[in-house]
Amino acid sequence: DTEVTQTPKHLVMGMTNKKSLKCEQHMGHRAMYWYKQKAKKPPELMFVYSYEKLSINESVPSRFSPECPNSSLLNLHLHALQPEDSALYLCASSSLMASDPEAFFGQGTRLTVV
Amino acid sequence: AQTVTQSQPEMSVQEAETVTLSCTYDTSESNYYLFWYKQPPSRQMILVIRQEAYKQQNATENRFSVNFQKAAKSFSLKISDSQLGDTAMYFCAFMKRQGGGTSYGKLTFGQGTILTVHP
């Protein structure tokens, strides 16, 4: 099973709403990632978790709050977002083995902030 | 810091023909990985092929192969016998290899090349 599952696939939220994006993998990977992608642009790294601990935060605004409850799950909590935060949010996972470095991506959540 | 450059914003090819996508990168690291990912309209990023920098042999994966020129910092992707399902945006990506037999971290992507395969 080489699947990363993200829910929901689409999300529309107001600027005062609180919502969460969810990501799940069952490949035994111990590194998980959040990326943000604008249309026709490359993904931009937001956060990296390794062994359920936050290891990289790419200076992301505090209105985005990641959480890794266990080795299979990754959440992204959203609060007081701006319209410019509308984008495709991609979750990915990878092993921590140097022999197996590739990241596997989910299908993403298309977020629209109104 | 690493940079990855894809100089071809868009390319097109006829079905069954061969096409090559270009990628150059700049890094001071000696241990790293290079990847090609494709992103079809379904949005999911799919790994196409990977290359470890310490390996001189070019990676191949069925109809996909790379030309890895480490000294020139070039990593091109050749798609043979192009199929309609190859239509997608292709990203070249760099990842630094961490020490101690582990690896995780930032994927640095190029700007992408939109490939259209025509029937």
Side-chain angles (χ1 to χ4, degrees), chain B residues 59-70:
Chain B
T60 63
E61 197 69 48
N62 301 316
R63 297 182 294 107
F64 300 89
S65 61
V66 298
N67 184 3
F68 174 47
Q69 301 289 327
K70 189 173 183 179

Side-chain angles (χ1 to χ4, degrees), chain A residues 1 8 14 21 29 31 44 47 50 52 64 79-80 89 102 109 114:
Chain A
D1 182 8
L21 309 184
H29 288 168
E44 298 173 356
F47 303 103
S50 64
E52 297 94 68
F64 296 92
H79 173 56
Y89 288 83
E102 52 264 29
T109 295
V114 297

Side-chain angles (χ1 to χ4, degrees), chain B residues 12-23:
Chain B
S12 63
V13 65
Q14 293 296 124
E15 201 174 4
E17 294 191 345
T18 296
V19 64
T20 299
L21 307 184
S22 301
C23 173

Side-chain angles (χ1 to χ4, degrees), chain A residues 37 98-99 102-103 105 108, chain B residues 33 37 39 43-44 50 106:
Chain A
Q37 186 181 25
S99 59
E102 52 264 29
F105 286 81
Chain B
Y33 309 93
Y37 280 90
Q39 189 175 36
R43 308 180 327 204
Q44 187 164 12
R50 88 164 194 234
K106 184 173 182 175

Side-chain angles (χ1 to χ4, degrees), chain A residues 9-10 33 35 37 40-43 45 48 55 58 88 95-96 98-99 101-103 105-108 110, chain B residues 33 35 37 39 42-45 47 50 52 89 91 95 97 101-107 109-111 114:
Chain A
K9 288 189 168 36
H10 301 272
Y33 312 77
Y35 284 85
Q37 186 181 25
K40 296 192 177 181
K41 295 291 186 183
L45 183 68
V48 181
S55 55
E58 291 285 289
L88 180 67
S95 79
L96 287 168
S99 59
E102 52 264 29
F105 286 81
Q107 282 197 304
R110 176 77 65 194
Chain B
Y33 309 93
F35 305 91
Y37 280 90
Q39 189 175 36
S42 66
R43 308 180 327 204
Q44 187 164 12
M45 296 280 279
L47 178 69
R50 88 164 194 234
E52 286 90 341
M89 191 155 189
F91 290 99
M95 179 193 283
R97 179 174 170 142
T102 64
S103 191
Y104 70 91
K106 184 173 182 175
L107 273 169
F109 289 91
Q111 290 299 306
I114 298 172

Side-chain angles (χ1 to χ4, degrees), chain A residues 59-93:
Chain A
S59 303
V60 179
S62 60
R63 57 185 185 269
F64 296 92
S65 176
E67 179 196 21
C68 190
N70 60 54
S71 60
S72 300
L73 291 174
L74 185 67
N75 299 321
L76 186 63
H77 303 298
L78 314 173
H79 173 56
L81 295 193
Q82 303 297 310
E84 59 264 29
D85 297 322
S86 298
L88 180 67
Y89 288 83
L90 293 166
C91 174
S93 71

